[in-house]
Amino acid sequence: MVQPAWQDPVLLPPESAPVPEYGTGSLADLLPTLVAGQEVPGFEATIPELTPADRNCVFLIDGLGWEQIKAHPDEAPFLHSLLPTSRGGTGRPITSGFPSTTATSLASVGTGLAPGEHGLPGYTVRNPETGALMNQLRWKPWTAPKVWQPHPTVFTLADAAGVRTAQVSAPDFEQTPLTKVALSGGSFLGRLSGEERMDVAAQRLAAGDRSLVYTYYSEVDGQGHRYGVDSDAWRGQLMYVDGLARRLAEQLPPRSALYITADHGMIDIPFDEQSRIDFDEDWELGAGVALLGGEGRARHVYAVPGAEADVLTVWREVLGEQFWVASRDEAVAAGWFGPRIDERVYGRIGDVVAAAHDDVVITASANEPHESLMVGMHGSLTPVEQLVPLLEVRS
Ligand SMILES: [Zn+2]
């Protein structure tokens, strides 16, 4: 007998979530493919469509998803001209990795490894050594960087193989642990303005016969969080960054390729109770939970010992129509964090992992007052968050 819909909610099975294209078309595949083309030993080209140049530059625009570029031809005419629909454009989307968040993605870019191996699998995750939450973006509380992420970066290995390697970013980032574990190797050049970064990146690219330069701009993401991707402030940033990309492209030295990408996309979340579920006010979701990690659209839930199964049951019942709710083993088996999970990383993943399918978030008004008020959010497996550009300009 067919049950009425209200008795038979459609729960989203974890295995139905779109898994990032680890190993063929994710952020972790970008630098390995580029340096494989530069004959750095130990790397394999895993993005088949890509033909690296002798000099390769990666410009990472924080928060600028593939779908957002496609939706804004007027604000981003240069980036739009690189899309495959335009004459001559060869751009394509790649996937960011899970969760689609800055710390995780930057580590995937710099190490060439999926989150299950580099071990930054979220905005905040539990440190199994201390039992406390560790914020991967701000690196709080301080944790020995090389212990937390022991793998060498692609930059370090490329530099050792004679490729002129540089990162051009905000001066403040030079000494941060996240830079150390994800983006170090070769020279770091701190420049305050976007224009200076583009100019210096082009100069560094010309500095070697083989070179690898990374540069970064953050404020598309910043304005998106504050005002949303449907705001004039965000559109203004998009226009600005479009000009930066053009500026860099016009200065490329001979035998160069510029790759424009991003760490994740973004989605605006309405301000109402159905769209913003406040964990700190919800006794049902809080029962048996020791720690809530991750971020609104990609939660790591750490249960009180013994309560893992109950927490999974309740989270699935309450949220399972709007979120993919998985046990740690289910999320790992589904490949959300990549094909392999390093031993030290396993315990950082939540007992329950909840990834948003709809335009909803789990906020935490008391513990995360700032994050809970953001307009634009990201973190989950949906295309608007996962798909990031891989746009190419060659000299
Ligand atoms: Zn962000």
Side-chain angles (χ1 to χ4, degrees):
M1 193 182 93
V2 177
Q3 290 188 327
W6 57 270
Q7 281 183 357
D8 185 19
V10 184
L11 301 182
L12 296 160
E15 62 275 14
S16 71
V19 176
E21 291 176 24
Y22 299 116
T24 54
S26 76
L27 279 180
D29 300 298
L30 177 55
L31 290 195
T33 299
L34 298 184
V35 303
Q38 292 173 313
E39 288 165 16
V40 174
F43 288 98
E44 202 185 318
T46 51
I47 304 181
E49 303 87 344
L50 218 61
T51 312
D54 295 333
R55 296 160 162 163
N56 296 303
C57 184
V58 172
F59 178 21
L60 192 143
I61 301 168
D62 200 317
L64 184 56
W66 170 257
E67 309 230 329
Q68 277 118 34
I69 294 176
K70 283 206 304 184
H72 292 89
D74 295 341
E75 291 88 347
F78 178 67
L79 297 175
H80 218 260
S81 76
L82 306 175
L83 295 177
T85 47
S86 305
R87 202 151 46 112
T90 56
R92 52 160 288 181
I94 56 175
T95 57
S96 72
F98 181 76
S100 47
T101 197
T102 298
T104 304
S105 292
L106 295 188
S108 299
V109 169
T111 63
L113 300 171
E117 289 178 273
H118 65 59
L120 279 69
Y123 174 60
T124 63
V125 299
R126 183 179 62 183
N127 180 350
E129 307 289 314
T130 64
L133 281 182
M134 150 84 174
N135 184 310
Q136 318 267 286
L137 190 63
R138 309 187 200 295
W139 216 264
K140 285 182 179 166
W142 193 87
T143 308
K146 280 269 155 19
V147 176
W148 193 258
Q149 198 300 92
H151 300 283
T153 67
V154 179
F155 297 109
T156 300
L157 297 170
D159 190 63
V163 175
R164 282 293 193 98
T165 304
Q167 301 84 30
V168 188
S169 189
D172 282 356
F173 292 159
E174 180 165 6
Q175 299 300 339
T176 66
L178 182 59
T179 297
K180 291 229 180 316
V181 303
L183 300 167
S184 62
S187 346
F188 186 100
L189 296 119
R191 293 292 185 276
L192 279 176
S193 80
E195 288 82 0
E196 283 179 289
R197 286 181 211 158
M198 300 302 109
D199 299 352
V200 170
Q203 288 158 19
R204 297 304 299 191
L205 207 53
D209 282 339
R210 290 181 302 157
S211 48
L212 175 66
V213 175
Y214 164 91
T215 187
Y216 170 83
Y217 182 75
S218 70
E219 267 310 291
V220 174
D221 182 70
Q223 298 294 345
H225 282 306
R226 280 187 280 280
Y227 304 109
V229 294
D230 195 27
S231 67
D232 284 347
W234 185 88
R235 278 190 281 269
Q237 279 296 317
L238 179 58
M239 291 167 72
Y240 175 69
V241 87
D242 190 72
L244 289 184
R246 185 192 298 268
R247 182 183 181 112
L248 178 50
E250 287 174 354
Q251 297 185 67
L252 288 181
R255 297 184 289 109
S256 300
L258 165 63
Y259 297 101
I260 299 159
T261 191
D263 51 352
H264 54 75
M266 191 173 279
I267 184 168
D268 288 353
I269 305 297
F271 279 86
D272 58 56
E273 277 182 26
Q274 291 76 43
S275 309
R276 291 172 180 257
I277 300 153
D278 187 359
F279 174 82
D280 289 340
E281 296 283 326
D282 193 312
W283 60 268
E284 208 178 2
L285 291 179
V289 175
L291 281 174
L292 180 71
E295 61 201 292
R297 292 183 57 76
R299 285 298 183 187
H300 288 285
V301 190
Y302 305 95
V304 171
E308 294 86 354
D310 289 343
V311 171
L312 177 64
T313 301
V314 170
W315 276 62
R316 193 163 274 160
E317 267 175 27
V318 174
L319 301 169
E321 290 175 71
Q322 296 176 294
F323 284 76
W324 292 286
V325 179
S327 69
R328 177 191 291 128
D329 287 341
E330 287 169 338
V332 166
W336 291 8
F337 298 97
R340 285 175 296 279
I341 309 289
D342 276 8
E343 186 67 38
R344 67 181 214 297
V345 180
Y346 194 75
R348 298 177 191 175
I349 296 169
D351 296 303
V352 174
V353 184
H357 170 276
D358 296 350
D359 298 0
V360 292
V361 286
I362 299 159
T363 60
S365 58
N367 282 311
E368 301 171 358
H370 173 68
E371 291 90 337
S372 295
L373 290 173
M374 287 173 170
V375 182
M377 304 262 203
H378 52 80
S380 192
L381 291 157
T382 68
V384 68
E385 297 157 284
Q386 273 297 320
L387 297 184
V388 294
L390 181 55
L391 307 180
E392 183 177 3
V393 183
R394 298 186 83 98
S395 60

